[in-house]
């Protein structure tokens, strides 16, 4: 099988033009087929606040009312996605920017209301991602750049966690490629001490995850990130890594960040 690398980028990397420039250079230099998935929550939050719309978060996940949906669609599918695609083109990577609605690549279901009403948030299942369509783009020499906007197939756009999208895409593509999933953000990996960049946990097994949450080592937005990482590794993805965006070049040496194990 050919190798496919799916990389999710987010956090402060997107907000810093110098960091983003270096990341996109490193991304372009990666050998083989690749897909980029991005968020952009901080920019969306800042724009919302400037318009008097306060972000609401529950365990690292955004509550998306109709006003917030309009903002994240503008920011994710417009400002961030097209800026990133333009930069990749300038660096020699023939990128194509997409939402889940484009080519029906990612079809989601609106999250049902239980204890919390998350609003216009989309959940994914094993049939959500069109591996056939993504594969056709890769075979055409294109580099898909997916933002965190999906659709329900009945005109409604939905905000879907970018970590979840990356995991679901990796699982769907694992039947066609030897797939590795990489989460890039501003830290060197999962840290024992969030204030100490040198306290990276090199490997984490699935059965250690709950203990890390109880101890407060894993909290906030890192919880859904690791949940998605372990789901991917148990459903056919060959390797999952979490680490610092500007150290992406170390991926080839196997020394990048934190590696997830079954």
């Amino acid at each position: 099988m050919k190798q496919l690398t799916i990389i999710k980028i987010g956090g402060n990397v997107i907000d810093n033009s110098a960091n983003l420039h270096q990341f996109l250079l490193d991304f372009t230099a990666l050998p083989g087929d690749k897909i980029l998935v991005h968020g952009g929550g901080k920019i969306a939050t800042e724009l919302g606040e400037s318009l008097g719309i306060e972000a609401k978060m529950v365990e690292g996940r955004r509550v998306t009312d109709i006003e917030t949906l309009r903002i994240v669609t503008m920011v994710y599918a417009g400002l961030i996605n097209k800026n990133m695609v333009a930069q990749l083109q300038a660096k020699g990577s023939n990128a194509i920017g997409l939402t889940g609605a484009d080519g029906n690549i990612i079809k989601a279901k609106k999250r049902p209301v239980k204890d919390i009403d998350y609003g216009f948030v989309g959940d994914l299942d094993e049939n959500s991602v069109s591996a056939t369509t993504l594969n056709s783009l890769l075979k055409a020499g294109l580099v898909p750049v997916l933002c965190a906007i999906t659709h329900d197939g009945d005109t409604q756009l939905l905000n879907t966690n970018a970590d979840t999208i990356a995991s679901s895409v990796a699982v769907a593509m694992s039947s066609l490629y030897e797939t590795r999933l990489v989460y890039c953000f501003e830290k060197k990996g999962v840290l024992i001490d969030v204030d100490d960049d040198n306290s990276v946990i090199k490997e984490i097994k699935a059965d250690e995850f709950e203990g890390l949450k109880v101890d407060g080592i894993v909290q906030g937005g890192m919880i859904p990130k690791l949940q998605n990482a372990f789901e991917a590794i148990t459903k056919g993805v060959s390797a999952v890594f979490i680490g610092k965006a500007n150290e992406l070049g170390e991926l080839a040496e196997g020394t990048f960040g934190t590696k997830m194990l079954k």
Side-chain angles (χ1 to χ4, degrees):
M1 276 187 171
K2 290 180 65 179
Q3 187 173 81
L4 172 66
T5 304
I6 291 139
I7 297 183
K8 188 268 177 176
I9 184 71
N12 295 329
V13 182
I14 290 175
D15 311 329
N16 185 301
S17 58
N19 289 347
L20 181 60
H21 169 75
Q22 185 58 54
F23 166 80
L24 293 176
L25 281 175
D26 294 338
F27 175 81
T28 299
L30 284 176
D33 292 319
K34 52 210 167 194
I35 295 172
L36 181 60
V37 180
H38 69 83
K42 185 176 179 181
I43 295 174
T45 297
E46 290 175 350
L47 178 59
E49 288 176 350
S50 72
L51 297 173
I53 301 168
E54 183 179 350
K56 299 174 184 176
M57 308 292 289
V58 178
E59 289 192 337
R61 296 184 185 273
R62 186 182 298 268
V63 176
T64 306
D65 57 19
I66 190 62
E67 291 84 4
T68 302
L69 180 65
R70 291 169 180 153
I71 289 169
V72 296
T73 300
M74 288 188 290
V75 172
Y76 298 167
L79 178 64
I80 294 176
N81 188 268
K82 298 315 169 190
N83 175 59
M84 211 171 287
V85 167
Q87 290 195 54
L88 285 169
Q89 292 291 352
K91 293 170 175 57
S93 184
N94 193 13
I96 180 169
L98 303 161
T99 69
D102 296 299
N104 200 29
I105 287 173
I106 306 174
K107 190 174 176 182
K109 295 179 181 177
K110 186 175 181 293
R111 182 172 299 169
V113 178
K114 295 181 181 177
D115 296 333
I116 300 165
D117 184 358
Y118 282 95
F120 293 96
V121 167
D123 288 332
L124 307 182
D125 58 33
E126 64 275 8
N127 299 313
S128 291
V129 177
S130 174
T132 301
T133 303
L134 283 171
N135 191 40
S136 67
L137 294 173
L138 292 168
K139 285 185 175 297
L142 295 167
V143 177
V145 180
L146 302 172
C147 73
I149 299 296
T150 59
H151 76 133
D152 69 353
D154 191 28
T155 77
Q156 182 62 58
L157 293 175
L158 296 166
N159 180 23
T160 298
N161 183 276
D163 292 338
T164 303
I165 288 177
S167 176
S168 296
V169 168
V171 170
M173 299 304 288
S174 64
S175 63
L176 303 172
Y177 295 82
E178 181 184 337
T179 305
R180 60 182 178 178
L181 172 61
V182 183
Y183 289 111
C184 287
F185 68 145
E186 66 273 12
K187 299 292 184 180
K188 288 190 173 185
V190 181
L191 305 177
I192 295 175
D193 179 355
V194 71
D195 297 318
D196 180 4
D197 266 356
N198 294 316
S199 64
V200 177
I201 304 173
K202 293 298 183 183
E203 295 180 341
I204 300 176
K205 294 180 180 179
D207 60 7
E208 297 171 333
F209 179 39
E210 286 301 321
L212 291 173
K213 284 199 296 182
V214 170
D215 293 340
I217 293 172
V218 173
Q219 55 185 301
M222 187 61 76
I223 292 174
K225 195 182 298 292
L226 288 186
Q227 287 172 333
N228 287 303
F230 285 120
E231 183 171 359
I233 203 73
T234 59
K235 290 185 177 180
V237 176
S238 62
V240 181
F241 299 87
I242 295 176
K244 198 166 188 175
N246 66 5
E247 296 179 349
L248 183 61
E250 296 180 10
L251 188 63
E253 286 74 44
T255 59
F256 178 81
T258 302
K259 185 175 183 179
M260 304 298 115
L261 302 173
K262 290 183 182 179

